[in-house]
Amino acid sequence: RLYGKHTYERNLKKGQKELLNGFFKYLRGKRYSKSSIDTYTFFMADFINFYRDKELQNISDRDVEVFIEDVFIRRSYSISTQRQFTSALKLFLSYCPEIKINPVVLTRPKRSKKLPNILSAEEVISILQVTKNLKHRAIIALLYSSGLRVGEITNLKLSEIDIERNLVKVVSGKGRKDRFVVLAKSFLPLLNNYLLSYKPNFYFIEGLAGKKYSESSIRKFLSKNVALAGITKNVSPHSLRHSYATHLLE
């Protein structure tokens, strides 16, 4: 029922709910990530709900176009979100071959080619300076200094940080690939201060009751501190990663 900032009520029939549960298990068996499974199941639940009074085998190629026109355009979903729906529907057709939609006509819209906002080194320092919360400062510093993705830092375990060798092991990053990233020596005093002050037990950053910290919380406090630093650019955790790569080249 929830995607991003959007919340929608559905009125699915029992058989349709069972179908979606089966699709959920199918994706899990294919070893898709939890994020992909949740997103794909969400989209197919919306699609089935849109045609809840129509037999699945009677859904046509044109019905897919109508769904996109009436739902995606009206909700102002991005091109990347529409591409995800197309991927979800292709997988759903593999799971339900009785549906007569032609997978060949399911073309993904071209991805927008927008360059990310790049921060200067001075801007990164100014963000760290105005970030008074020690945990928040440690998160921003590690995102930047090691070029981690936001999902990688929320999944990062303490056991994967090797302070003596100045290395962080990123397990099952994008594309399910493990890799090592360098732990900047300039980050070590802040890291040690954070670990001694907060004493996390399992994850590098933990929320309530030792659970994983949420990605949305990181985006929220980052935006707040970017504004406090007087920076007008649209800055996301991924902006820090791109800035890291740019500064390495420089």
Side-chain angles (χ1 to χ4, degrees), residues 18 21-22 33 89 97-98 103 125 127-128 139 159 165 170 203-205 211 219 222 225 240 242:
E18 291 174 349
N21 285 335
S33 69
L89 186 54
E98 65 269 22
I125 292 171
I127 294 171
L128 289 169
I139 293 170
S159 59
R165 296 173 63 200
V170 180
Y203 291 104
F204 169 66
I205 44 173
K211 294 183 179 179
R219 292 188 176 94
L222 177 60
N225 289 303
L240 295 172
H242 280 286

Side-chain angles (χ1 to χ4, degrees), residues 51-171:
Y51 291 112
R52 60 182 172 273
D53 297 324
K54 192 170 188 176
E55 294 296 328
L56 284 176
Q57 58 267 29
N58 294 329
I59 294 178
S60 66
D61 298 347
R62 177 55 189 158
D63 288 330
V64 177
E65 295 172 346
V66 170
F67 175 75
I68 291 173
E69 292 163 4
D70 286 5
V71 175
F72 275 64
I73 304 303
R74 181 167 56 85
R75 296 181 186 175
S76 300
Y77 280 158
S78 65
I79 288 176
S80 62
T81 302
Q82 186 174 332
R83 288 171 60 88
Q84 286 180 310
F85 165 71
T86 304
S87 298
L89 186 54
K90 285 187 175 183
L91 285 167
F92 193 71
L93 294 180
S94 299
Y95 176 68
C96 296
E98 65 269 22
I99 302 176
K100 303 307 179 185
I101 298 171
N102 184 356
V104 176
V105 302
L106 296 177
T107 56
R108 298 180 182 89
K110 290 185 178 181
R111 194 190 305 270
S112 300
K113 294 183 178 179
K114 295 181 179 178
L115 293 174
N117 283 322
I118 302 297
L119 296 165
S120 67
E122 291 75 18
E123 286 175 324
V124 175
I125 292 171
S126 67
I127 294 171
L128 289 169
Q129 286 174 337
V130 299
T131 304
K132 303 305 180 184
N133 183 290
L134 177 59
K135 179 192 282 189
H136 296 173
R137 200 181 321 136
I139 293 170
I140 293 172
L142 186 57
L143 280 170
Y144 168 72
S145 65
S146 294
L148 295 178
R149 298 179 176 90
V150 65
E152 292 170 344
I153 200 169
T154 55
N155 286 309
L156 182 63
K157 301 178 181 67
L158 288 173
S159 59
E160 294 160 353
I161 301 175
D162 190 335
I163 294 178
E164 290 186 2
R165 296 173 63 200
N166 293 346
L167 289 176
V168 174
K169 184 179 182 181
V170 180
V171 178

Side-chain angles (χ1 to χ4, degrees), residues 231-246:
I231 297 170
T232 57
K233 297 175 183 176
N234 184 17
V235 178
S236 68
H238 213 64
S239 302
L240 295 172
R241 172 176 164 81
H242 280 286
S243 300
Y244 157 83
T246 302

Side-chain angles (χ1 to χ4, degrees), residues 176-188:
R176 298 179 189 164
K177 295 177 182 178
D178 294 356
R179 73 182 192 280
F180 284 100
V181 296
V182 175
L183 200 60
K185 290 183 179 179
S186 58
F187 173 62
L188 294 181

